[in-house]
Amino acid sequence: AKAAQLLGGTPERIVARCSGNIIKNVKGVVVPGTDGLRGIETAVLLGAVGGDADKELEVLQGVTAEDLAETKRLLAQKLCEVELLQTKARLHIIVEMFSGSHRSLVEIVHSHTGIVRLEQDDRVLLSIPFTEETVEANQTDPSCLNVRSIVAFANEVRMEDVEPILLPQIQCNSAISQHGLSHPYGACIGRTLLETCGTDVRTRARAAAAAGSDARMGGCEMPVIINSGSGNQGLTASLPVVIYAKELDVTQEMLYRALAVSNLITIHLKTGIGSLSAYCGATAAGCGAAAGVTYLYGGQFREIAHTVVNAVAIASGMICDGAKASCAAKIASAVEAGLLGMQMQMHESQFYGGDGIVVKGVENTIRNIGTLASEGMRETDRTIIRMMIQEH
């Protein structure tokens, strides 16, 4: 959308150079508002034709039926080329557009709205120095997080400080979840769970999170409040907690405090894993959700720490092979693992140091998960991307 804005006309040729993880994460997911169209070419062309760059992450909010028809026409002409960008950054995109004698270029790195370079014809309009290995300096530093301080924060935080974040998360994520349960999106994981596994609170918690992903991965245009840069992780971290809060009939304040636990535990786990990895981020969010539910039951540091360790011991190893319909099923599995971890600690059952990647102390185990995801699964990530590019 920004490149088209700079070009000032309909592009005759587009080259989209993307890092491997961007190709992985966009290849199989339905682009919102496209009646089921998928992939990078669709996203690029729709952004060029109908996107509003000034709306940033809501860039496609104003897309019309005429824009979609034009996108389909341009797709048929195959004027968008996708190339693998050789870069150390996991999120790195360079889009170059041509029309007659005119040309534009936009480069994004590290964050979805992190524009670092703008070119219009032969003029450089913006050039922000960056390194491929590091994220932007102005991003929040999550290194201060640990499970004990997260629980203490949740106990003490003022509601007026967190309500502006958590109320929209409850409202938006619940709305798309209900929509996913009411409509046949993707593989209908949420609906299938309710139809085959009953309607107990545990099943409803899994189904709610899965249904939100069913809709999101299926191209639903409804907004989602994210966690760690991911809509699926935002859904997973929040909806099970919302479902259990209703079941337990707790106050709105208690729900906010439990959501603070869930979101922050998810961020804490994701800090070591990284934003884009071969390690499925829903696993971390499932742990966060279970931690939040444990808090609803009155759990504090000890109980939440055991829940987290149990959950990561059960589910670590689920791969991320991009955004697509099966994410909903992985979310259901991640929530199930988290809830099993919670039930284990409720019955004074737990995994101990020496059980595989589990070591003594919750923070040490979380560090192991980060090392596994960011270092141990590096070749796994390359292998997955290579498979997907070959198929692409």
Side-chain angles (χ1 to χ4, degrees):
K2 187 66 177 179
Q5 187 184 78
L6 294 177
L7 189 67
T10 302
E12 298 169 356
R13 177 172 169 254
I14 304 174
V15 179
R17 300 179 180 90
C18 305
S19 56
N21 275 278
I22 290 297
I23 291 176
K24 181 178 79 171
N25 277 284
V26 182
K27 179 178 179 291
V29 71
V30 175
V31 180
T34 62
D35 296 331
L37 298 179
R38 303 168 186 268
I40 292 173
E41 295 91 339
T42 297
V44 170
L45 289 169
L46 187 61
V49 169
D52 182 350
D54 295 332
K55 291 182 179 178
E56 296 191 323
L57 290 180
E58 294 182 300
V59 59
L60 299 180
Q61 192 177 61
V63 166
T64 65
E66 291 76 19
D67 295 330
L68 180 56
E70 177 66 5
T71 297
K72 290 178 178 178
R73 187 184 71 81
L74 296 176
L75 275 170
Q77 295 181 6
K78 299 186 182 300
L79 59 82
C80 180
E81 305 166 25
V82 178
E83 298 178 358
L84 176 63
L85 180 62
Q86 299 300 329
T87 172
K88 294 179 180 178
R90 295 183 176 183
L91 194 165
H92 199 167
I93 307 166
I94 301 173
V95 171
E96 198 168 8
M97 295 188 180
F98 304 88
S99 179
S101 60
H102 296 289
R103 166 188 165 275
S104 66
L105 182 145
V106 177
E107 182 172 10
I108 285 174
V109 68
H110 296 316
S111 74
H112 294 88
T113 55
I115 295 175
V116 295
R117 189 170 184 85
L118 299 174
E119 295 182 12
Q120 186 179 54
D121 294 330
D122 295 327
R123 294 183 298 144
V124 176
L125 305 180
L126 176 73
S127 181
I128 300 174
F130 69 91
T131 61
E132 294 178 356
E133 294 88 347
T134 58
V135 299
E136 293 173 306
N138 63 356
Q139 287 190 343
T140 302
D141 178 11
S143 63
C144 64
L145 292 176
N146 60 71
V147 175
R148 189 179 294 278
S149 68
I150 288 170
V151 176
F153 173 81
N155 288 338
E156 299 168 8
V157 65
R158 298 181 306 171
M159 291 301 97
E160 58 266 32
D161 290 337
V162 293
E163 185 175 49
I165 300 169
L166 297 178
L167 182 58
Q169 187 180 51
I170 295 167
Q171 293 171 334
C172 291
N173 293 4
S174 296
I176 194 172
S177 173
Q178 285 300 315
H179 188 73
L181 288 172
S182 304
H183 297 82
Y185 281 101
C188 297
I189 302 301
R191 291 165 61 136
T192 300
L193 282 168
L194 292 182
E195 290 168 4
T196 61
C197 299
T199 57
D200 61 282
V201 64
R202 183 169 177 157
T203 301
R204 284 187 279 118
R206 296 162 62 207
S213 180
D214 283 327
R216 184 168 177 82
M217 297 295 94
C220 178
E221 298 177 60
M222 297 173 72
V224 168
I225 304 302
I226 65 176
N227 183 298
S228 303
S230 165
N232 278 335
Q233 287 162 48
L235 293 165
T236 308
S238 60
L239 288 168
V241 182
V242 172
I243 295 297
Y244 268 87
K246 291 178 182 176
E247 177 74 10
L248 298 174
D249 195 25
V250 301
T251 64
Q252 188 79 354
E253 178 178 329
M254 186 63 169
L255 172 56
Y256 286 154
R257 295 190 187 281
L259 284 171
V261 170
S262 177
N263 281 289
L264 289 171
I265 291 289
T266 301
I267 292 168
H268 184 30
L269 281 159
K270 282 290 291 181
T271 298
I273 294 166
S275 58
L276 294 169
S277 168
Y279 185 99
C280 177
T283 304
C287 292
V293 175
T294 302
Y295 188 89
L296 289 175
Y297 276 105
Q300 288 291 295
F301 168 72
R302 177 183 176 275
E303 293 79 13
I304 288 170
H306 286 326
T307 294
V308 170
V309 170
N310 290 342
V312 297
I314 294 166
S316 293
M318 189 154 58
I319 63 164
C320 172
D321 52 347
K324 69 294 183 217
S326 66
C327 289
K330 294 185 179 186
I331 285 171
S333 297
V335 174
E336 171 64 20
L339 295 177
L340 176 56
M342 178 189 74
Q343 290 177 319
M344 286 175 59
Q345 68 82 19
M346 284 180 167
H347 289 82
E348 296 298 326
S349 177
Q350 67 185 81
F351 298 114
Y352 294 92
D355 289 344
I357 59 173
V358 173
V359 290
K360 186 175 177 60
V362 61
E363 299 304 330
N364 293 326
T365 299
I366 289 174
R367 275 192 289 273
N368 268 9
I369 296 300
T371 302
L372 169 69
S374 62
E375 297 179 19
M377 297 182 75
R378 195 172 292 157
E379 185 56 38
T380 302
D381 201 32
R382 285 194 283 262
T383 301
I384 292 169
I385 291 167
R386 190 160 57 245
M387 289 175 175
M388 296 182 73
I389 290 174
Q390 287 169 353
E391 184 184 339
H392 178 81

